[in-house]
Amino acid sequence: MPTKARAAVLWGTDEPWKVQEIDVDDPKEGEVLVRWKAAGLCHSDEHLVTGDMVPNAETLTAMGLDSFFPIIGGHEGAGVIEAVGPGVRSVAVGDHVSASFVPSCGHCRYCTTGRGNLCDAGAGTLGGGMITDGTHRHHIDGKPVTLLAKLGTFAELTCVSEMSVIKVDDDLPMDAVSLVSCGVATGWGSATRRADVQVGDTVVVVGIGGIGMNAVQGAKMAGASRVIAVDPLEFKREKAMEFGATHTFASMEEALPEVTEMTRGQMADKVIMTPGVMYGELMEMAQTLTGKGGTMVVTAVAPIEQKDSSINLFNLAMYNKEVKGTIFGSLTPRNDIPRLLEMYRGGSLKLDELITERYPLDGINEGYQAMRDGTNIRGVIVYE
Ligand SMILES: NC(=O)c1ccc[n+]([C@@H]2O[C@H](COP(=O)([O-])OP(=O)(O)OC[C@H]3O[C@@H](n4cnc5c(N)ncnc54)[C@H](O)[C@@H]3O)[C@@H](O)[C@H]2O)c1
Ligand SMILES: [Zn+2]
Ligand SMILES: [Zn+2]
């Protein structure tokens, strides 16, 4: 019997999230029902609203889809297992879990070589039905509705693959767990894993939202001697100082002469790009801020069809620089989500301080307006 639940559904680009009732089917083989307790408002869901992350008609056809909408949003989340389908081994009813927007099959080439963020089961993340068999478990008036990243944490209850959830300790606060499931892991990993920040490095982080703030705290934990936070908003720059930044600037242009001066012209070892939207033209300044042999990490999501980027390839080669992309901060969910939560428990990782505002599900559009206005580090939906 399907269970009724309330969910924030997007019916098209440039529309508000609509909170409405959905039907959720029972879990099948390898699936679980999760009652979500908290869901973070990440910028990636906003990319659905703006259309930046919506595939064009040609790509949709290649994916075997007629339409991208309606879709239930949300991929940052923490919840409790309400029911399990046949064959589920990694979690049981009552377990507390973190969402993981990249699944972990445990068997593929990537899962077995410490690159869990690249698990092959993530291939259909942007569309279609369940990871398990491609069919749908969520319906509105009998019509199928998809889940963002196969999770849909902007719903009271969803049915997901057991590959998409990770058991966590029961005593951890759900809102803190939800943030680790995407923003914290992605930002922290962008600095510590993908940029591979070393003791004494000079690190520039561009864009201080839920992701960039965690790149700042990751760079600090990795021992960077200078962590330079760049954001046009004063509120973000002030907060960045509390998370470990040593200097802040309103723009990359403003940072350039100062970084030149403080590094005696050597420039940054690592530049991490975490603005709300990644535009190709931002790479010119990112490259200028990067020193010889330095690394640029692109974490932010660019408009899906954008191909141009202002990288000077002559300088890239002659100064031996590198540009790296990253999904999930290049971490492995099953290892790193519990590990980050242990750091939180031990007091070395700040999570509570990331939450600016909590909202009921009905406050979702207010929460995203706050993101556009730049007044939240992270907003979190908390369910009853
Ligand atoms: N690669 C991944 O796996 C992954 C995972 C999660 C999120 N993301 C992406 O990371 C990006 C950041 O997400 P978020 O949730 O932190 O967003 P956010 O909206 O909370 O924060 C973005 C910040 O960037 C600042 N900004 C915008 N343009 C800037 C510029 N030109 N220079 C300096 N600062 C600028 C804004 O003022 C804001 O403070 C988004 O594109 C999101 O989709 C990527
Ligand atoms: Zn996210
Ligand atoms: Zn895998």
Side-chain angles (χ1 to χ4, degrees):
M1 267 296 286
T3 311
K4 301 265 180 218
R6 297 176 78 243
V9 182
L10 192 66
W11 287 84
T13 54
D14 300 318
E15 291 194 18
W17 293 96
K18 185 176 173 196
V19 178
Q20 62 186 107
E21 199 171 75
I22 58 165
D23 291 310
V24 185
D25 291 346
D26 290 341
K28 295 193 174 171
E29 177 96 26
E31 299 168 2
V32 297
L33 274 188
V34 187
R35 188 156 293 276
W36 298 108
K37 297 292 179 187
L41 302 179
C42 177
H43 203 113
S44 299
D45 305 87
E46 172 74 355
H47 291 304
L48 301 183
V49 177
T50 60
D52 284 341
M53 207 164 72
V54 178
N56 66 15
E58 201 182 321
T59 312
L60 279 177
T61 308
M63 290 162 76
L65 299 174
D66 299 334
S67 166
F68 188 74
F69 299 104
I71 186 166
I72 299 169
H75 63 284
E76 271 193 6
V80 179
I81 299 291
E82 183 143 312
V84 299
V88 168
R89 304 276 294 270
S90 60
V91 285
V93 171
D95 280 354
H96 289 205
V97 293
S98 157
S100 179
F101 76 90
V102 282
S104 310
C105 80
H107 306 292
C108 72
R109 174 184 171 195
Y110 301 95
C111 281
T112 53
T113 50
R115 295 175 288 171
N117 64 320
L118 300 177
C119 174
D120 278 342
T125 295
L126 271 187
M130 300 294 291
I131 293 175
T132 46
D133 66 3
T135 63
H136 289 269
R137 305 283 171 273
H138 308 82
H139 298 87
I140 297 171
D141 298 331
K143 295 204 179 71
V145 50
T146 52
L147 305 177
L148 177 56
K150 315 283 184 193
L151 284 164
T153 60
F154 296 165
E156 293 167 333
L157 182 84
T158 56
C159 179
V160 305
S161 164
E162 73 170 312
M163 295 181 215
S164 302
V165 293
I166 290 156
K167 184 172 159 40
V168 300
D169 290 338
D170 293 357
D171 61 331
L172 292 165
M174 287 291 195
D175 46 14
V177 173
S178 82
L179 296 192
V180 169
S181 72
C182 173
V184 175
T186 300
W188 188 86
S190 293
T192 62
R193 182 72 51 86
R194 197 59 169 142
D196 196 18
V197 170
Q198 300 292 308
V199 173
D201 272 356
T202 294
V203 181
V204 177
V205 180
V206 179
I208 309 297
I211 313 294
M213 196 63 87
N214 290 293
V216 166
Q217 71 170 331
K220 183 193 175 206
M221 280 170 84
S225 64
R226 298 186 190 92
V227 182
I228 299 151
V230 177
D231 199 293
L233 303 171
E234 192 179 356
F235 163 65
K236 307 287 181 115
R237 298 198 298 272
E238 278 170 10
K239 279 279 171 192
M241 296 300 287
E242 294 169 24
F243 278 78
T246 54
H247 306 75
T248 65
F249 299 101
S251 67
M252 289 191 278
E253 287 74 11
E254 198 181 287
L256 182 62
E258 303 289 336
V259 174
T260 308
E261 178 72 23
M262 70 177 88
T263 62
R264 303 170 197 224
Q266 292 181 37
M267 310 311 288
D269 299 289
K270 315 282 156 65
V271 174
I272 301 169
M273 299 302 289
T274 51
V277 187
M278 188 64 213
Y279 295 112
E281 65 258 27
L282 295 174
M283 289 310 288
E284 185 174 351
M285 278 306 297
Q287 186 173 9
T288 308
L289 285 165
T290 305
K292 284 191 285 189
T295 302
M296 289 153 263
V297 171
V298 178
T299 306
V301 171
I304 195 163
E305 308 295 344
Q306 182 182 286
K307 295 197 181 94
D308 294 337
S309 174
S310 56
I311 295 172
N312 181 315
L313 296 175
F314 178 85
N315 287 342
L316 190 77
M318 294 303 104
Y319 292 118
N320 206 85
K321 296 181 186 180
E322 61 183 345
V323 183
K324 294 175 169 181
T326 184
I327 181 156
F328 196 64
S330 305
L331 301 179
T332 289
R334 280 202 194 286
N335 178 50
D336 290 305
I337 287 178
R339 205 162 67 96
L340 285 162
L341 288 168
E342 280 303 296
M343 293 179 207
Y344 166 67
R345 193 190 283 288
S348 57
L349 186 77
K350 288 188 168 72
L351 296 182
D352 301 323
E353 297 84 346
L354 291 165
I355 303 172
T356 318
E357 197 70 51
R358 291 173 175 80
Y359 303 90
L361 183 60
D362 290 299
I364 184 165
N365 290 305
E366 192 190 327
Y368 272 108
Q369 190 55 48
M371 171 178 283
R372 289 169 210 137
D373 296 341
T375 53
N376 283 353
I377 302 300
R378 240 335 172 236
V380 179
I381 290 172
V382 178
Y383 295 95
E384 305 281 285

